[in-house]
Amino acid sequence: MDESKPGRVAPTRATISDVARQAGVSIGTVSRVLNKARNVKPALQRRVLDAAAALDYRPDSFAQGMRSKKTHVIGVIVPDLRNPLSSEAAAGVEEELTQQGYSFFLANSRYERGREENILNEFARRRVDGIIAILARDQDPRTVEQLRRLPMPVVLLEREIGTEFDAVRTDQVQGTYRATRYLAALGHRRIALITVPTDNMSGRYRFQGYAEALADVGTEVSADLVHMGGYTRDYAVNAAYSVLSMRNKPTALIVSGGMLPGVLDAMRQLNLSIPDELSLVVLGDTELAALTRPGITAIRYDWAQTGRVAARLTISRIGGSETPPERVIVPYEFILRESCQELAPGD
Amino acid sequence: MDESKPGRVAPTRATISDVARQAGVSIGTVSRVLNKARNVKPALQRRVLDAAAALDYRPDSFAQGMRSKKTHVIGVIVPDLRNPLSSEAAAGVEEELTQQGYSFFLANSRYERGREENILNEFARRRVDGIIAILARDQDPRTVEQLRRLPMPVVLLEREIGTEFDAVRTDQVQGTYRATRYLAALGHRRIALITVPTDNMSGRYRFQGYAEALADVGTEVSADLVHMGGYTRDYAVNAAYSVLSMRNKPTALIVSGGMLPGVLDAMRQLNLSIPDELSLVVLGDTELAALTRPGITAIRYDWAQTGRVAARLTISRIGGSETPPERVIVPYEFILRESCQELAPGD
DNA sequence: CTCTGGAAGGAAAACGTTTCAAATATAAAT
DNA sequence: ATTTATATTTGAAACGTTTTCCTTCCAGAG
């Protein structure tokens, strides 16, 4: 019925046979011209190209995918769309993929394993050429098993599973080590840590850097200063609240970027000021850290860069690269602001 | 060669004919069971379902799309992945689409028309079932024409083109009106406005609300107080810098959320304090506005909600809804913080 | 002039679904 | 027991590509 509507252009797209007819050749020839263009006389080639242009022909990606098994689509799975890690990484992936002619599905697991499983299944069903994943948990054997079964290359972002998958990550160990040593150099010894659980790489490596730095200055990790039990803002608020209202409270605090809002919130409630009453370093720089007053000293991670690297790596795997799994580590940057203070000897 | 590797599961997925063979029925029956399941005897239905489960069968989405013309994919195009409007809207869209069994392509135009055009073409080629778009410019005739030609429903987000497309947007007119009136009620008359250009809806409606409010308090718009020439952070810094270093500088400033960082940056450079030297209202609430000190009074827009509504609307259009184009307006919320001060009579 | 071999182009198969027409089985009505 | 209507199931076409296998051309060699 639409066909007859006067004002409406018929919505039927030209197919390859339309082009073939218009150019007076077989569809096979059209396909050959449009793809490799081998063994076709220049004259014919022109005719085909002209016909295709005239008809505004675009190959149907479903027919292509059906036949050639290549979709030029990559699946990207993140745990929390609103977290800067996710959005920055997605932005980096986007930059690189677009440039290389790929599209991508974006999916959000919300840190739920069930969702993650469904998403991976859906990606497989949709025959994505590759997957870039920031997993909720990288130690769950079911997840690992599912990844192993996937017929397309998988690149992990900010996560690690043994050495069998490509992985791109920021240097959380060194970054956190540096943050801790920086505070220690200012005289702090009671340094609290609020970040994500150890069931993914970020938490594990952050704790490792923290613990190593403390050990190097001859201090032991004190369990009551470490809160690594959740991902949410509420968790951060509660953790900060409880650690900052201890009788013998810490003089410094290291918090991950996604939890900074919660910590600032708690500090406001407790009416604690930075840096007089608490020195603060954030793992992962954000606009909030940069622009709040005083500015928060930060370990900056270039997540967009990890995204770009992961995208390039994925594409090279799709291209058939068979080298052993890579492990790329993107360095951190230390951003000095005004949130830390030398500890007065008496404190 | 992979087939023979001992440790590797053969990566060939089961097809519908495998299921048919296993269940001892025709492929047509399998298809019917898996889709509508009408007119199939319960016994057979069980057999088919069991077979499908046993083989871990998942219909190939390319074959499906090829035949049925439905892809269950929606294309989402945003102008700036790092802007809260984009990421919040994407998150809202994601919530709703996932729940309804849709996947989505996410693409980033970076406010460039050429990219936008390519993205729309790519979406068409990939036969997305519908498109949700935050356009770079909603007044460009070429963009409009391209949208008209698209064979799938398009829902505009935070943009409007006449009345021929569905559009979901926040109430920028009223929000900005309210912000302006609020400042006026505190005695301010020299109120600056820094936001995006008028070549998309947000800029137009913000200016409208601003101008109406000023008119209602008997003040004229003063061109040197209005900066609506760019989208970037750099633009915001420069605009704020120039407007705040005027001899007769404004006593209050309204800025859009994406540009708040730039404004705060400029204020820091100029060493201006809030609210003593400048009252500030931000259009679009963000974490930065909420957590910086003092907190910035904000007009909050629920972009995630617009995303959800747009997703629902898109799906209903895909379902064949033929009602006239809708125009949904999501209300604003006034968030009072500490960034505004009553103007002293002498000022 | 015939033969050979490579280049160029065509015809048709295949990809895995959905859907439609036809065939068969079942139930109801006579 | 037939006939008729209805419910179920089958078989095959169709979707728009890519690709494989042929056939046809031609040029150069013998």
Side-chain angles (χ1 to χ4, degrees), chain A residues 94-161:
Chain A
E94 189 273 338
E95 285 172 31
E96 194 68 25
L97 288 186
T98 303
Q99 196 181 330
Q100 309 264 350
Y102 279 79
S103 299
F104 69 103
F105 288 125
L106 182 64
N108 187 2
S109 71
R110 302 181 210 171
Y111 283 110
E112 294 168 30
R113 217 199 72 84
R115 271 181 202 283
E116 199 164 77
E117 181 172 346
N118 290 341
I119 290 167
L120 289 172
N121 278 334
E122 185 67 10
F123 282 172
R125 202 180 78 82
R126 297 215 185 254
R127 295 247 199 90
V128 297
D129 289 344
I131 293 177
I132 296 175
I134 304 179
L135 297 172
R137 275 168 282 284
D138 55 7
Q139 301 301 91
D140 188 310
R142 283 172 304 179
T143 302
V144 177
E145 189 49 37
Q146 191 182 10
L147 289 180
R148 281 210 188 94
R149 294 208 130 83
L150 252 21
M152 66 281 293
V154 175
V155 174
L156 303 177
L157 214 55
E158 286 298 81
R159 300 293 184 266
E160 268 181 15
I161 300 177

Side-chain angles (χ1 to χ4, degrees), chain A residues 180 183 188-196 206-207 210-211 214 219-229 235-236 238-256 263 278:
Chain A
T180 312
L183 288 168
H188 296 276
R189 285 302 179 273
R190 290 191 60 74
I191 302 172
L193 176 66
I194 298 182
T195 187
V196 298
R206 283 173 191 159
F207 182 77
Y210 170 80
L214 285 185
T219 302
E220 295 212 339
V221 172
S222 156
D224 57 352
L225 293 181
V226 177
H227 287 257
M228 304 178 72
Y235 176 81
N238 291 334
Y241 199 92
S242 83
V243 84
L244 294 177
S245 43
M246 291 165 62
R247 60 244 162 300
N248 184 16
K249 71 175 198 300
T251 60
L253 170 60
I254 298 174
V255 61
S256 54
V263 167
L278 186 77

Side-chain angles (χ1 to χ4, degrees), chain B residues 170-183 191-195 201-214 228 254-256 281-284 299 301 332 334:
Chain B
T170 53
D171 197 344
Q172 300 283 343
V173 178
Q174 289 308 312
T176 313
Y177 182 90
R178 174 72 184 275
T180 314
R181 286 301 296 258
Y182 168 70
L183 288 168
I191 303 172
L193 175 66
I194 298 182
T195 185
M201 186 216 77
S202 298
R204 289 198 303 280
Y205 281 169
R206 283 175 192 158
F207 182 76
Q208 181 186 333
Y210 170 79
E212 283 177 6
L214 285 185
M228 305 178 71
I254 298 174
V255 61
S256 54
V281 177
V282 63
L283 303 176
I299 304 297
Y301 296 116
Y332 71 92
F334 183 85

Side-chain angles (χ1 to χ4, degrees), chain B residues 97-330:
Chain B
L97 288 187
T98 303
Q99 196 182 331
Q100 310 264 349
Y102 280 78
S103 299
F104 69 105
F105 288 125
L106 183 63
N108 187 2
S109 72
R110 302 181 209 171
Y111 283 110
E112 294 169 30
R113 218 198 73 83
R115 269 180 204 284
E116 200 164 77
E117 181 172 346
N118 289 341
I119 291 167
L120 289 172
N121 278 335
E122 186 66 10
F123 282 173
R125 202 179 78 82
R126 297 215 185 254
R127 295 247 197 90
V128 298
D129 288 346
I131 292 177
I132 296 175
I134 305 180
L135 297 172
R137 276 168 282 283
D138 54 7
Q139 300 302 91
D140 188 310
R142 285 172 304 180
T143 302
V144 177
E145 188 49 33
Q146 191 181 10
L147 290 180
R148 282 210 188 96
R149 293 208 130 83
L150 251 21
M152 64 282 291
V154 175
V155 173
L156 304 177
L157 214 55
E158 286 298 81
R159 299 293 184 265
E160 268 181 15
I161 299 178
T163 58
E164 63 184 305
F165 292 96
D166 289 310
V168 180
R169 61 178 178 87
T170 53
D171 197 344
Q172 300 283 343
V173 178
Q174 289 308 312
T176 313
Y177 182 90
R178 174 72 184 275
T180 314
R181 286 301 296 258
Y182 168 70
L183 288 168
L186 291 175
H188 296 276
R189 286 301 179 273
R190 289 190 60 73
I191 303 172
L193 175 66
I194 298 182
T195 185
V196 297
T198 53
D199 59 6
N200 74 46
M201 186 216 77
S202 298
R204 289 198 303 280
Y205 281 169
R206 283 175 192 158
F207 182 76
Q208 181 186 333
Y210 170 79
E212 283 177 6
L214 285 185
D216 287 357
V217 298
T219 302
E220 296 210 339
V221 172
S222 154
D224 58 350
L225 293 180
V226 176
H227 286 257
M228 305 178 71
Y231 300 92
T232 64
R233 185 193 162 122
D234 280 352
Y235 176 80
V237 173
N238 291 334
Y241 199 92
S242 82
V243 83
L244 294 177
S245 40
M246 291 166 61
R247 62 247 162 299
N248 182 17
K249 71 174 202 296
T251 60
L253 170 60
I254 298 174
V255 61
S256 54
M259 292 175 160
L260 176 63
V263 168
L264 292 182
D265 209 4
M267 291 187 66
R268 175 176 298 198
Q269 287 177 42
L270 291 165
N271 208 25
L272 287 174
S273 78
I274 302 173
D276 322 327
E277 296 171 275
L278 186 78
S279 288
L280 191 59
V281 177
V282 63
L283 303 176
D285 197 17
T286 61
E287 226 146 40
L288 175 61
L291 292 166
T292 191
R293 306 290 287 266
I296 314 287
T297 294
I299 304 297
R300 177 181 291 168
Y301 296 116
D302 191 344
W303 293 305
Q305 178 64 10
T306 64
R308 283 186 290 265
V309 171
R312 280 198 288 272
L313 191 47
T314 307
I315 292 175
S316 85
R317 290 300 179 198
I318 293 169
S321 158
E322 290 281 6
T323 54
E326 276 190 46
R327 177 171 296 204
V328 181
I329 300 179
V330 175

